[in-house]
Amino acid sequence: MLALASCGLPHTVAGNASQAPVSTATVTAPSTPAVTAPVPQTVFVPPPQTVTAAPAGVAASSQWYAQQSWINAQPGVAITPAAGQTPCQWLFVRGYSYAQAYAAWARNGYPASWSATNDGYPCQKSYGMQH
């Protein structure tokens, strides 16, 4: 026999009949929650941006105009030099800044012919030393 007197429930003593419980409690187990899958969403990812890196031997620069993000933001320039004129001379005569000439050089694949001194900086004969 169990002694349940400490719980407030009647108990039986050998030879005595049990009495009815003082109170009754009903315990209900919680129901299982419904699981709902999230609604699928469409995510748009922009295509990758092509970035042209300077070739080996081209000096890295901390100049703001040498930053790839700025170069990529510049409009393309169709350079059409006259006979005997370099692309740098063409840009200079038309009023382009050195930064714009640098961007044009980068956007045209860093041609070695734009750097008379082969030091990785273009148009020095037209614009002077800029670094």
Side-chain angles (χ1 to χ4, degrees):
M1 275 284 162
L2 277 185
L4 299 175
S6 64
C7 296
L9 297 175
H11 62 281
T12 26
V13 179
N16 291 341
S18 286
Q19 297 177 350
V22 176
S23 63
T24 307
T26 304
V27 177
T28 307
S31 63
T32 305
V35 177
T36 307
V39 177
Q41 296 179 345
T42 302
V43 177
F44 294 97
V45 178
Q49 181 180 8
T50 302
V51 176
T52 304
V58 173
S61 173
S62 62
Q63 300 296 331
W64 60 269
Y65 54 79
Q67 302 302 314
Q68 196 65 45
S69 59
W70 187 85
I71 291 169
N72 290 341
Q74 299 310 299
V77 177
I79 301 170
T80 54
Q85 187 181 42
T86 68
C88 294
Q89 291 167 337
W90 185 91
L91 290 162
F92 183 77
V93 168
R94 281 163 181 73
Y96 287 93
S97 69
Y98 180 76
Q100 291 168 316
Y102 189 97
W105 174 63
R107 291 177 66 101
N108 281 284
Y110 303 93
S113 62
W114 287 36
S115 177
T117 58
N118 267 344
D119 65 353
Y121 293 96
C123 305
Q124 293 169 332
K125 285 188 175 181
S126 298
Y127 291 91
M129 300 297 278
Q130 298 290 320
H131 54 83

